């Protein structure tokens, strides 16, 4: 039996594991963003906290993924919760670091002008700093998201499910078709997520920061926005439709 025959016979199970993989990855990345971005903002204002926070994130990143998953078992048991927690911890470094870097590299003259017109600190953050830092923050989110897809395959090691289940079963049974059935969809998912977030990154980048003609850049955003919206709606409908069934 070749790979295509195996895939055709087991596409229902593979699709179910793909949906589960998307859900686990989405939960982990959203949690990492909700934790990482505020941390990056905090250490931008509290300068003494930047080295300890980034240092801690670096240490977590240096721990082998299998070891970190093993450390989660005594704390959270086995299943989806420890897998999501481990992936969140791994995803924090690029998000925290890029948020801090994006906010720290804003032109000081721009900030001085904002203060001169009477904007308060929170207004400067919301209206000036975050919009200008968003492209850099999105780079961190892209890295974290693509990494999370790969790390989530290892989560099957502690019973979290997802496409990693196929890979581990294939390794145990020396079934290359089963390994490929888990590895190929995971790879394509990572590429799809990276492509979507690359478009989002362009859309949220201020027109003044883009190279080339500004008018052309504005016109290009509409079809790009439509593509992102269609893909996101399609993914949400896919996941929701599967659960309804």
């Amino acid at each position: 039996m070749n790979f295509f025959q195996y895939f055709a016979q087991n596409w229902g199970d593979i699709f179910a594991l793909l949906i589960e993989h998307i859900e686990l990855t989405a939960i982990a990345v959203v949690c990492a963003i909700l934790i990482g971005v505020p941390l990056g903002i905090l250490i931008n204002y509290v300068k003494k906290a930047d080295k300890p926070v980034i240092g801690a994130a670096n240490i977590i990143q240096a721990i082998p993924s299998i070891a970190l998953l093993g450390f989660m078992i005594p704390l959270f048991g086995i299943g989806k919760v420890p897998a999501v927690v481990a992936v969140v911890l791994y995803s924090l470094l690029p998000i925290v670091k890029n948020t801090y870097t994006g906010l720290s590299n804003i032109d000081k003259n721009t900030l001085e002008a904002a203060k001169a017109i009477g904007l308060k600190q929170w207004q400067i953050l919301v209206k000036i700093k975050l919009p200008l830092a968003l492209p850099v923050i999105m780079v961190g989110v892209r890295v974290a998201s693509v990494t999370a897809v790969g790390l989530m395959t290892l989560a099957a090691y502690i019973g979290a499910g997802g496409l990693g289940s196929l890979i581990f079963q294939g390794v145990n049974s020396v079934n290359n078709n089963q390994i490929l059935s888990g590895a190929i969809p995971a790879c394509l998912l990572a590429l799809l997520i990276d492509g979507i977030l690359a478009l989002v990154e362009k859309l949220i980048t201020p027109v003044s920061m883009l190279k080339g003609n500004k008018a052309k850049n504005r016109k290009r955003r509409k079809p790009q926005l439509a593509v992102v919206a269609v893909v996101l709606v399609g993914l949400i409908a896919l996941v929701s439709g599967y659960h309804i069934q």
Side-chain angles (χ1 to χ4, degrees), residues 92-108:
L92 283 178
L93 178 61
I95 296 175
V96 172
K97 197 169 184 179
N98 278 48
T99 301
Y100 174 71
T101 302
L103 293 173
S104 300
N105 290 338
I106 295 173
D107 186 9
K108 292 182 180 179

Side-chain angles (χ1 to χ4, degrees), residues 2 8 11 19 31-32 43 64 86 100 102 123 152 202 210 224 229 244:
N2 60 36
W11 70 270
I19 296 297
C31 290
I43 62 177
Y100 174 71
Q123 291 175 317
M152 199 56 77
K202 289 181 181 179
L210 293 173
Q224 289 175 348
I244 291 173

Side-chain angles (χ1 to χ4, degrees), residues 9-103:
Q9 290 181 7
N10 298 276
W11 70 270
D13 293 334
I14 296 170
F15 180 75
L17 291 172
L18 173 62
I19 296 297
E20 188 174 32
H21 201 94
I22 293 172
E23 289 179 335
L24 291 171
T25 303
I27 292 170
V29 172
V30 169
C31 290
I33 293 171
L34 293 177
I35 297 170
V37 172
L39 267 178
I41 294 171
L42 175 66
I43 62 177
N44 177 252
Y45 283 97
V46 185
K47 296 298 182 181
K48 291 182 179 180
D50 58 351
K51 290 183 179 178
V53 171
I54 294 177
N58 274 315
I59 291 172
I60 293 171
Q61 193 83 8
I63 300 173
S65 51
I66 292 292
L68 186 60
L69 288 169
F71 293 150
M72 294 294 108
I73 294 175
L75 297 174
F76 303 101
I78 60 174
K80 296 180 180 180
V81 173
V84 170
V85 172
V87 174
V88 167
L89 291 174
Y90 263 111
S91 302
L92 283 178
L93 178 61
I95 296 175
V96 172
K97 197 169 184 179
N98 278 48
T99 301
Y100 174 71
T101 302
L103 293 173

